[in-house]
Amino acid sequence: MEQDLRSYSPLTFAFIGDGVYGLYVRTALVNAGNTQARKLHERTSRIVSATAQAKALDAISDMLTDEETDIVKRGTNAHTSHQAKNASSYDYHKATGLEALFGYLYLKGDTDRIEELIQRCIDGSVADSR
């Protein structure tokens, strides 16, 4: 199966990774304690923005294996037809790399690794938003 995954486009990984990242962030915030849906949405929006994802990638970069670093680089360097709306092109490409990583790990079935990395991403984002 891994050979099949390595042949996937990094934008395919980013496509699924966008949803995976959002779901795991939402789950972690809900598990942190019951609060108003509006507040959950605001917190989630701050963490899943392209700018926050670029910072999250910086926060986990020292934890990545060589294989994961390769996936991130492929995602970051992928040419997209999208324009960044509320982020610099640099942050948008870094966010795509992060999403590619989470998409790859999800399709690989490595949920333990996703949870480990997501927690570091959230910890960094929460610290930045204080």
Side-chain angles (χ1 to χ4, degrees):
M1 180 68 168
E2 189 157 332
Q3 277 298 86
D4 293 339
L5 284 182
R6 296 292 295 165
S7 68
Y8 281 34
S9 158
L11 295 179
T12 299
F13 291 144
F15 172 77
I16 191 85
D18 178 47
V20 169
Y21 189 74
L23 178 61
Y24 273 82
V25 165
R26 284 171 172 82
T27 302
L29 291 175
V30 167
N31 286 338
N34 192 18
T35 190
Q36 295 174 338
R38 178 184 54 79
K39 288 183 180 180
L40 289 169
H41 176 73
E42 290 169 0
R43 290 176 187 158
T44 300
S45 295
R46 282 195 305 266
I47 295 170
V48 301
S49 73
T51 301
Q53 286 181 352
K55 289 178 184 175
L57 181 57
D58 291 338
I60 65 170
S61 63
D62 64 331
M63 298 174 64
L64 300 181
T65 66
D66 290 343
E67 176 184 36
E68 292 166 346
T69 299
D70 180 58
I71 295 296
V72 168
K73 285 180 185 175
R74 288 178 57 206
T76 301
N77 293 331
H79 296 287
T80 67
S81 59
H82 274 85
Q83 286 287 86
K85 293 178 190 166
N86 297 312
S88 69
S89 178
Y90 177 75
D91 282 351
Y92 184 80
H93 284 282
K94 282 180 72 174
T96 302
L98 181 77
E99 291 170 349
L101 172 63
F102 284 110
Y104 173 75
L105 291 172
Y106 177 78
L107 291 172
K108 189 177 170 186
D110 199 347
T111 55
D112 289 341
R113 183 66 170 153
I114 292 171
E115 290 172 8
E116 177 184 14
L117 294 173
I118 286 283
Q119 194 55 56
R120 171 83 73 94
C121 291
I122 291 171
D123 291 346
S125 293
V126 169
D128 286 347
S129 67
R130 286 182 187 153

